[in-house]
Structures are given as C-alpha cells and as structure tokens.
Amino acid sequence: MTDYDSATAFLGEWGRFQKQVFYLLCLRAIPCGYTALSVVFLAGSPHHHCLVPPQANLTPAWENSSIPLEERSGGGAPERSFCSRYKLTEVQRFSDRGLLPADVNWSTVATEGCLDGWQYDQSIYASTVVSEWDLVCDYKWKKPLTTSVFFCGVLSGAFICGQLADRYGRKLMVFVGMGIHAVSNFLLIFSPSWTFFCCMYFLVGLGNTFSYSSTFVLGSELLSPRLRKTFATLGVNLGFAVGYMMLPLLAFLIRDWRMLLVALALPNLLYIPFWWYIPESPRWLVSCGKIEEAEAIIRAAAKKNNVKPPTVIFTPLQKDIQSPPRSPPNICELVSSRNVCGISVTLWLLWPTVTITYLGVSLNTGNLHGNAFLNCFLSALVEIPAYFLSWVFFRWCSRRVTVFSTLCMAGMFLLIIQLIPSGMTIGLEMMAKFAVTVAFSIVYGYTVELYPTVLRTTALGSCSMMGKIGSIVAPYFIYLRSYSVSLPYILIGCLAVLLALLSLLLPESHGKPLPDLLDQMQSFPG
C-alpha cells in the first residue's frame, strides 16, 4: 500500500513497541556474525611438517635435519617444508654411520612425502579441522572447499528463504532458520569425519541465511521509515559486528575447534523466548489480504505505546488493493519487464562483487603479519565505525553515489597494496575493509528500497543468493596466494572498481517512498 506508513503513523517513531522490535532483532543478528566467519578459526592452518615416527630412533638433531628448508612464495627466510622430508631410510643410514647432520650434503639426498602423517604446531591452535583430518599438502584443496560448502548452504538458503518468507511470513522464517542453525551446529560438534562436517556445515550456512535475511526484512517492514534506515544500516549490522568481534575472543580462549563450536552453539537457547515478543510483519499480512491479523498486531503495538488507534486502520481503498488475492510471488517476476530486469541484473552483478571483496579481506586475516586473533578482532572492530558512517550516508546521502565511492575506494586500496612493503599491508587491508563494509551495508538497504512489498523478500533473497555465489568463490581468491601473494589483491581490486562504475546505472531511492507495487518502482537506468 502506498499509504501504509501514513496509516500506521499514529504509533509514533520510538515507542515501547519500536524499541522492543529494534533491540530484539539486533540481538538476533549476533549469532549470524560469529557464525559467518567462524571458519577462520575452525579451519585455521597451523604450521606443520612431516612427522618423523619414534620408531625411526633418530636424535633431535637428525630429526630436525630430516625436514628440508624451502622458500615461501611471499619471500623471507627459508622455512621447514610443509609436505616433504628427506628419505627416512637415507637419514637413518647416515645416523647409524655415526655422522653428524653437518657432515651430509643434503642437496644430494632424495626426498619423499609425509608417509607417516604430519606434526602440527599447537602454539596457536590446539586443534582445527585442518589438523584433525590432515587437510594439507595433497589435500589442501579441502580447506577452501570447506569454506565454500558453508557458503553453498548460505546460497541455498538465500535461494529458497525469500520465496518462503514471502509466502509463509517473515517471522516464521526467522525462527525456522534459528532452529536449523542450532541443531546443525550442535551436530557439528560430534563430526566423525570431514565429509560429515561439511554436510552439517552446509546446514549451518543455510540456517544462518534464513535467519539473517528474514530478520533484516522483518525489521525493515515493522519500523517507521526513519527508524528503518537506522535499523538497516546501523542496528542489525552492529549486532552482526558484535558477533564477529566475539569470535576471535572466544577462539583465543578456546583453542580446540570442537569446544569452540560448543561455545558458539549454546547462545541459540537464549533466543527461544523471542518468539513471543517479535510480531509478524503487518505490511506483509496486508499485502497477503490478512487485514484482521495485521490490524490486531497494530492495535497491540498501539497499546504498548499508550496511544489510541483509529477505529479503522486500513481504509477500504487499501483493502481493495489486495483484492482479489494475488498469486504467490515468483522469482521470475524479477525479470518480468525491462525496468525490473535492468535493476535485478545490475544488482545480481553488484552483490557478488561486494561479497567477494568483503570476504576476501575478512578471510585473509590469518595470512597477515602479526597475531591471527588480533588481526581478526581488528577486522571486526573496523566495521563499527563503518556502520555508523553508513548510517550517516543512508540518512542524508545518495545511495548510488555512496555505493560507487566506497566500493571504488575499497578496490583502489587493494590495488595499491602490492606497491608497498609487506609490513604495511595490514593498514591498507583495514582501510579496504572499512570501505567495503560501508558499501555492503548500503547495498542491503538500497536493495530493500528499490523493490516493492510484493517482491521485496524474494528480491533480497535472490540478490543475497548471487552474493553467496561470490562467497563460494571468495575462498579460492585467497587460495591464489599459493601462486602469487599479489594475485588476489589485483583480481579483487579490479573487480570492485569495475562494478562500482556499473552501479551508477541504478536508480536513486533516497527520499523516495517505499514501493508496494511493481508500477511504483523507479526507472532504470537511473
């Protein structure tokens, strides 16, 4: 309805009802934050080298010398090989002859793989899925695949969540997602194999997206226009950032991946009572023709805010808009006309680019100089001022110009990294993270504003789905470091700048009423 906001304006801006909805939905976003990046520590790669079995009867000096030294792709002093050792029978023969390691010309000694497994350094991680199932050397491809499996679950959730939420309601999907997330996270603790872990991790990603996407849309539709901007760009994102900051703190205190999962799973129990305090979206109910249910929620809200509702909240004109009942929304409607198709395709390209840039920087924290826990915490901390700035931009500035400038800036920072000494890269990465976080925050709210109520969650779900395709690919951008340290920065930076330019085609939504029907959408190109 074009005048839904005016019909419910009597509730006020910041009463008890709005405060309750705002704070509870922001709190609901906290688990989404620490779950989304948990793979940084669950699948952390400790330093390792080939295991020399005790039965080899080698002295510590010979044991240390049995591992060859190799130069890393990033330069620096040679380090012990991760995946090879000198042929053990040869080393034992030298030892039995009474030689010292310094007496041997090691360049002539043959090498072999880690036939007896690996020995992992436990100074940073007591245990991770990498050390649990030896996801190193010939099996190192399983590590980025583990991350991609999680985001495949996120992709699947994005694909079906929007349509289910538009059909069955926003509130139900919030708690369905919470249930899937809680159960699969609990089962993850008892994983007997890497395959089982991946299956459960897929479901964790699916539930996480169900909950976060529906929470975002529910808050956007329950709150007033001005408060909606604060929620979309500041509130729910701060909840996510708080969860993200909790992750390195918990991982620092709990170095075993199974016990870390216990700590991440338990808070889900605290959200069960939220069912009785978070209502369904009256805007969605009215668009589905459920006028009586919508009015009941509005009257309950008025009672909480100590205001008297009008006798008739939704006028006959508003009721006629939803009659006859419309068919359930379909994702094909997002390309049903040239205008809708142009907006959708542009956003479908923009979302994965923003996601790849955001995750590329976030997942790379373990590869930066310094402490992995501190780097991850800083990466999360920098999001706090970024979300405050995005709130300022979203309230007073052009959406289109903001997305262009911040995404372009993030890309430029990443391109500059390769031109400076390696010790200074963390500063530029944090600046890129700051810029892309602002862009990510604005894109979410921007998408919600561009689509009408009848398609809003389906559209957000489809855009999120495209973003998750980017998240599936993102771990492999980081994997390219094994070939060249600069390669991920160059690829992600160029992609960010290119899509920043393309985003200028989108229509402007700042200061425009939230559309409810297809014919109320802005024109493309803007």
Side-chain angles (χ1 to χ4, degrees), residues 243-297:
Y244 187 5
M245 286 192 294
M246 289 171 58
L247 174 64
L249 296 177
L250 289 172
F252 177 79
L253 297 173
I254 307 172
R255 304 297 180 95
D256 178 80
W257 71 270
R258 293 183 190 269
M259 296 309 298
L260 177 59
L261 279 172
V262 173
L264 298 181
L266 287 177
N268 284 297
L269 298 175
L270 302 176
Y271 292 99
I272 295 176
F274 282 30
W275 174 268
W276 291 277
Y277 295 95
I278 298 176
E280 182 55 271
S281 165
R283 184 186 287 268
W284 173 80
L285 290 170
V286 173
S287 71
C288 293
K290 301 178 181 180
I291 303 297
E292 292 77 12
E293 294 180 43
E295 289 195 349
I297 292 173

Side-chain angles (χ1 to χ4, degrees), residues 15-31:
R16 181 185 167 194
F17 171 76
Q18 288 89 350
K19 291 177 182 178
Q20 176 177 303
V21 168
F22 186 93
Y23 291 130
L24 291 182
L25 290 179
C26 290
L27 288 173
R28 181 65 205 111
I30 291 177

Side-chain angles (χ1 to χ4, degrees), residues 97-429:
R97 288 169 54 188
L99 298 176
L100 296 175
D103 299 329
V104 177
N105 181 6
W106 291 105
S107 62
T108 63
V109 181
T111 60
E112 61 186 2
C114 299
L115 304 180
D116 298 293
W118 290 264
Q119 183 174 335
Y120 295 93
D121 175 41
Q122 295 186 324
S123 62
I124 299 177
Y125 307 108
S127 174
T128 70
V129 298
V130 171
S131 61
E132 180 95 3
W133 294 300
D134 293 330
L135 309 185
V136 294
C137 298
D138 290 342
Y139 300 100
K140 65 182 178 180
W141 56 269
K142 289 185 176 182
K143 179 185 175 180
L145 181 59
T146 303
T147 308
S148 293
V149 164
F150 172 83
F151 287 112
C152 282
V154 173
L155 169 63
S156 301
F159 181 74
I160 60 178
C161 172
Q163 297 185 69
L164 290 177
D166 278 341
R167 185 171 299 191
Y168 300 110
R170 285 55 161 138
K171 176 182 175 179
L172 180 62
M173 290 303 105
V174 170
F175 288 91
V176 166
M178 186 182 77
I180 295 172
H181 177 269
V183 172
S184 53
N185 211 355
F186 179 76
L187 294 175
L188 204 59
I189 299 168
F190 305 99
S191 300
S193 66
W194 176 75
T195 303
F196 183 88
F197 179 92
C198 287
C199 291
M200 291 301 101
Y201 210 34
F202 174 91
L203 294 178
V204 171
L206 186 143
N208 206 48
T209 295
F210 260 57
S211 186
Y212 188 79
S213 295
S214 299
T215 295
F216 188 90
V217 174
L218 181 59
S220 297
E221 295 186 350
L222 279 170
L223 300 171
S224 62
R226 190 171 67 174
L227 200 54
R228 181 187 306 135
K229 297 175 184 177
T230 304
F231 175 80
T233 58
L234 188 61
V236 70
N237 288 327
L238 283 178
F240 183 93
V242 168
Y244 187 5
M245 286 192 294
M246 289 171 58
L247 174 64
L249 296 177
L250 289 172
F252 177 79
L253 297 173
I254 307 172
R255 304 297 180 95
D256 178 80
W257 71 270
R258 293 183 190 269
M259 296 309 298
L260 177 59
L261 279 172
V262 173
L264 298 181
L266 287 177
N268 284 297
L269 298 175
L270 302 176
Y271 292 99
I272 295 176
F274 282 30
W275 174 268
W276 291 277
Y277 295 95
I278 298 176
E280 182 55 271
S281 165
R283 184 186 287 268
W284 173 80
L285 290 170
V286 173
S287 71
C288 293
K290 301 178 181 180
I291 303 297
E292 292 77 12
E293 294 180 43
E295 289 195 349
I297 292 173
I298 296 299
R299 293 185 189 280
K303 185 176 180 181
K304 282 186 180 179
N305 287 358
N306 292 320
V307 296
K308 185 177 180 180
T311 305
V312 178
I313 298 176
F314 299 109
T315 65
L317 174 62
Q318 291 171 320
K319 295 179 182 181
D320 289 341
I321 291 176
Q322 52 78 32
S323 184
R326 62 180 177 88
S327 59
N330 191 301
I331 197 170
C332 293
E333 293 181 47
L334 297 176
V335 291
S336 59
S337 69
R338 180 182 177 276
N339 190 55
V340 181
C341 182
I343 293 174
S344 298
V345 170
T346 303
L347 289 172
W348 289 342
L349 293 173
L350 181 62
W351 273 70
T353 300
V354 175
T355 305
I356 288 172
T357 308
Y358 176 86
L359 284 178
V361 178
S362 300
L363 295 175
N364 195 44
T365 52
N367 298 318
L368 299 177
H369 291 276
N371 186 284
F373 303 101
L374 179 60
N375 289 340
C376 183
F377 181 79
L378 291 175
S379 181
L381 184 64
V382 77
E383 293 193 7
I384 301 295
Y387 289 136
F388 276 102
L389 185 61
S390 67
W391 172 70
V392 172
F393 284 159
F394 205 81
R395 187 161 184 174
W396 287 293
C397 301
S398 162
R399 316 292 192 243
R400 183 169 51 190
V401 172
T402 301
V403 170
F404 164 75
S405 58
T406 53
L407 186 57
C408 186
M409 192 180 303
M412 294 303 297
F413 284 138
L414 293 177
L415 290 172
I416 294 172
I417 282 179
Q418 59 183 318
L419 305 177
I420 65 171
S422 58
M424 299 173 59
T425 57
I426 188 170
L428 280 180
E429 283 218 23

